[in-house]
Amino acid sequence: MIDLKLLEKDFENIAKRLKAKGVKEEDLKNIKILFEEKKELKTLLENYQAKRNSLSKNIGLLMREGKKEEAEKIKIQVNEIKEKIEELNEKLKKIEEELDLKALSIPNLPDEDVPVGKDENDNVEIKRVGEIPKFDFEVKSHDEIGEELNWLDFKAGVKLAKSRFTVLKSEAARIERALINFFLDHNRSYGFEEVYVPFLVNSETMTATGQLPKFKDDLFKIEDEDLYLIPTAEVPLTNLFRDEIISDLNEPVKLTAYTPCFRKEAGSYGKDTKGIIRQHQFDKVELVAITKPEDSDKMFEEMVECASNALEKLELPYRQLMLCTGDLGFSAAKTIDLEVWIPSQNKYREISSVSNTRDFQARRGKIRYKEGKKNRLTHTLNGSSLAVGRTLVAIMENYQTKDGKVKIPSVLQKYM
RNA sequence: GGAGAGAUGGCUGAGUGGUCGAAAGCGGCGGCCUUGAAAGCCGUUGAGCUCGCAAGGGCUCCCAGGGUUCGAAUCCCUGUCUCUCCGCCA
């Protein structure tokens, strides 16, 4: 959630920065007004409550002394105040509800150094790593290879579930599993603790990390239960610390987990319909870190480095992109995407996304740490390391041979 | 799915209508003692919002939401969750 106090104090600046992320100034103005109204009402209400409390205390004392008549008089007074309190309370509740819903739907403030831009075309390339492979034969796409080798069974996926579900067979299934193990080990070597988490979480959890209330249409929900399938391990991992006060955060919390991820992919109907680039269910190994505010920039670098290095070990060509304001996700203040080379498409495609959300999720989830006597909000970061399905795609395409087979990257061999 | 019990501060746990934001113990922090440590002793130690330069003050929070009452952690209703036993089951 954005910092409402900051919004109140520094409206022009915040509005300007959020405009780059597509937020209307009018909406912010609205929130600011609601926030001020809420504060005013609350002060008024609290005054009445204070009065009620002290009068009630007096009644108690008088009753004990046996002064019934005096007590009765005060009761009448209190009853008047009570009506007032009820009225104000109702008003306040309405305003708070509205404010909450609106404030929770405002995206995070982009960092000052994030390039301003409209969409993915304005993202800024930071660097390219690795040689783009040259083939002396016509390259095939991973879905062609997958069908020829009987590694990818698209029909079976549709039969069992629906489109955008795929069954992996034989070597593909084994590479998938090898990749998960390789990534987890790789991340552990960077000091991330391996965790295994639930794949279903409740709405409170989804709200803290920003999926709810605004993006409920992207989530699979369990019928008649307050449970959703996770769209990324970022959600359970970050929420491990929801409503917690971390007593010592001198060393950042660093976690990694493998989970499948489930996304409805609403609104991407035409895109990537072939192959397994965009699926309703895909595997991912995720990194999450929780740091003091002053440590999050360093951690961000470390996570980008960790994910990048995994690609380098796999000897897959990739590039790093700094996302522009318009392409930044809802919760992110800053994001670097890693894109891997996909020969059949002749372009780089996203395979990892590392984000610093600053205190945006921490504020929603009340993730705090002790700094002396004070409790301060942490920063939270997340990044894929890596998207497993897309890594499989990259391997199938970049490692394909003339005779229609696929070589196994050397780092993976011990995992197979 | 059936039956029962319960939900209180970092943890254990007392509290059944007023002086309770809450006993006590543990843990944490500070100090004394000690060459150092342990033990012991003394003190301190919930969160959020808000007013104030500060000292300090006010409000809210004892699972959640309603209700009774001048006043609710405490009484009533509803919901959620947890635990135990039985059933089912990887």
Side-chain angles (χ1 to χ4, degrees):
Chain A
M1 192 154 82
I2 54 159
D3 185 348
L4 292 175
K5 277 188 243 175
L6 196 67
L7 180 75
E8 188 186 28
K9 219 170 61 193
D10 198 10
F11 185 81
E12 301 300 322
N13 178 33
I14 305 277
K16 193 182 123 210
R17 282 164 69 190
L18 279 174
K19 196 176 172 186
K21 226 172 160 178
V23 179
K24 288 191 214 126
E25 181 171 330
E26 195 192 320
D27 291 343
L28 287 174
K29 194 93 204 172
N30 229 314
I31 288 173
K32 186 182 170 216
I33 289 168
L34 276 172
F35 180 61
E36 285 164 347
E37 244 179 289
K38 175 191 135 177
K39 279 206 334 198
E40 206 174 303
L41 254 180
K42 210 168 173 182
T43 311
L44 193 62
L45 174 67
E46 283 179 3
N47 285 337
Y48 280 114
Q49 284 172 324
K51 190 131 192 208
R52 177 200 61 195
N53 290 347
S54 74
L55 286 178
S56 285
K57 227 169 248 182
N58 281 343
I59 292 174
L61 292 175
L62 288 171
M63 292 292 246
R64 210 161 311 143
E65 289 168 26
K67 297 177 180 166
K68 267 208 170 146
E69 270 172 47
E70 276 180 63
E72 286 302 324
K73 272 188 210 161
I74 300 180
K75 272 193 197 180
I76 295 166
Q77 270 185 60
V78 176
N79 272 328
E80 280 168 27
I81 293 174
K82 239 172 83 174
E83 273 172 43
K84 207 76 191 172
I85 288 175
E86 244 163 77
E87 184 192 319
L88 288 173
N89 228 334
E90 231 156 273
K91 255 196 214 168
L92 183 66
K93 223 199 252 175
K94 264 192 200 149
I95 287 178
E96 275 181 336
E97 252 169 50
E98 195 184 342
L99 178 63
D100 244 32
L101 189 68
K102 285 191 171 156
L104 283 173
S105 298
I106 299 295
N108 197 3
L109 214 54
D111 278 1
E112 303 269 17
D113 61 345
V114 169
V116 175
K118 230 173 103 183
D119 52 35
E120 70 265 21
N121 298 312
D122 296 325
N123 293 340
V124 176
E125 185 174 298
I126 298 169
K127 64 171 179 181
R128 297 183 179 210
V129 179
E131 288 282 308
I132 290 172
K134 294 197 176 78
F135 298 95
D136 56 358
F137 54 91
E138 199 168 327
V139 294
K140 295 176 187 162
S141 64
H142 73 280
D143 49 289
E144 289 170 320
I145 300 167
E147 278 187 314
E148 280 168 24
L149 295 175
N150 197 22
W151 282 14
L152 305 178
D153 192 337
F154 301 106
K155 288 209 173 94
V158 174
K159 174 182 166 184
L160 297 179
K162 63 185 265 186
S163 67
R164 291 201 193 282
F165 286 91
T166 303
V167 172
L168 306 188
K169 289 180 170 172
S170 61
E171 294 308 282
R174 295 186 63 220
I175 295 171
E176 182 89 359
R177 175 161 57 90
L179 282 170
I180 292 167
N181 288 333
F182 163 62
F183 290 147
L184 285 170
D185 285 349
H186 173 76
N187 295 342
R188 263 192 318 128
S189 79
Y190 273 79
F192 290 86
E193 184 194 350
E194 186 174 338
V195 182
Y196 180 84
V197 293
F199 304 159
L200 299 176
V201 300
N202 60 34
S203 54
E204 208 175 324
T205 296
M206 284 293 190
T207 305
T209 29
Q211 284 71 27
L212 290 177
K214 210 181 169 190
F215 303 105
K216 70 168 192 296
D217 292 345
D218 296 336
L219 300 171
F220 287 103
K221 186 176 187 310
I222 304 298
E223 205 177 352
D224 298 327
E225 297 256 16
D226 181 33
L227 287 173
Y228 299 81
L229 287 162
I230 56 169
T232 159
E234 167 201 341
V235 174
L237 285 178
T238 306
N239 272 279
L240 283 172
F241 295 89
R242 173 159 54 81
D243 292 320
E244 299 285 339
I245 299 169
I246 301 167
S247 57
D248 179 8
L249 198 54
N250 284 323
E251 285 303 314
V253 174
K254 295 162 73 179
L255 305 173
T256 184
Y258 152 74
T259 71
C261 303
F262 303 91
R263 301 183 181 178
K264 279 205 173 166
E265 296 293 344
S268 62
Y269 292 114
K271 282 185 205 161
D272 301 313
T273 47
K274 282 209 156 180
I276 58 167
I277 292 233
R278 193 175 301 272
Q279 298 276 287
H280 287 309
Q281 172 187 323
F282 62 94
D283 288 326
K284 185 154 63 73
V285 174
E286 183 77 359
L287 302 171
V288 159
I290 296 180
T291 72
K292 293 184 179 188
E294 58 267 34
D295 295 335
S296 72
D297 284 319
K298 199 177 142 225
M299 180 56 62
F300 183 71
E301 299 297 323
E302 190 181 326
M303 288 165 73
V304 171
E305 157 69 23
C306 175
S308 301
N309 191 239
L311 281 168
E312 282 162 40
K313 282 187 183 166
L314 286 164
E315 298 175 78
L316 289 168
Y318 71 95
R319 62 172 185 168
Q320 293 183 358
L321 284 185
M322 168 79 76
L323 296 199
C324 72
T325 53
D327 201 27
L328 220 46
F330 180 75
S331 296
K334 183 185 210 162
T335 296
I336 286 181
D337 272 8
L338 304 185
E339 294 188 339
V340 70
W341 181 252
I342 301 295
S344 70
Q345 299 189 3
N346 205 35
K347 62 180 175 191
Y348 290 98
R349 295 296 309 264
E350 179 183 344
I351 194 165
S352 167
S353 190
V354 180
S355 297
N356 188 346
T357 78
R358 304 282 171 197
D359 61 9
F360 185 81
Q361 293 177 326
R363 182 171 295 105
R364 287 172 159 246
K366 298 188 180 64
I367 306 174
R368 293 151 295 171
Y369 72 100
K370 280 253 179 257
E371 181 75 72
K373 284 212 153 200
K374 281 247 193 291
N375 299 322
R376 291 171 68 198
L377 292 175
T378 66
H379 280 192
T380 65
L381 305 95
N382 63 81
S384 16
S385 165
L386 297 168
V388 180
R390 288 190 182 179
T391 309
L392 175 63
V393 169
I395 288 170
M396 287 173 75
E397 295 208 4
N398 284 282
Y399 280 84
Q400 63 181 292
T401 60
K402 196 170 187 173
D403 56 356
K405 296 198 171 128
V406 175
K407 284 188 288 186
I408 304 295
S410 51
V411 293
L412 278 192
Q413 275 162 17
K414 68 170 177 181
Y415 289 95
M416 298 282 294

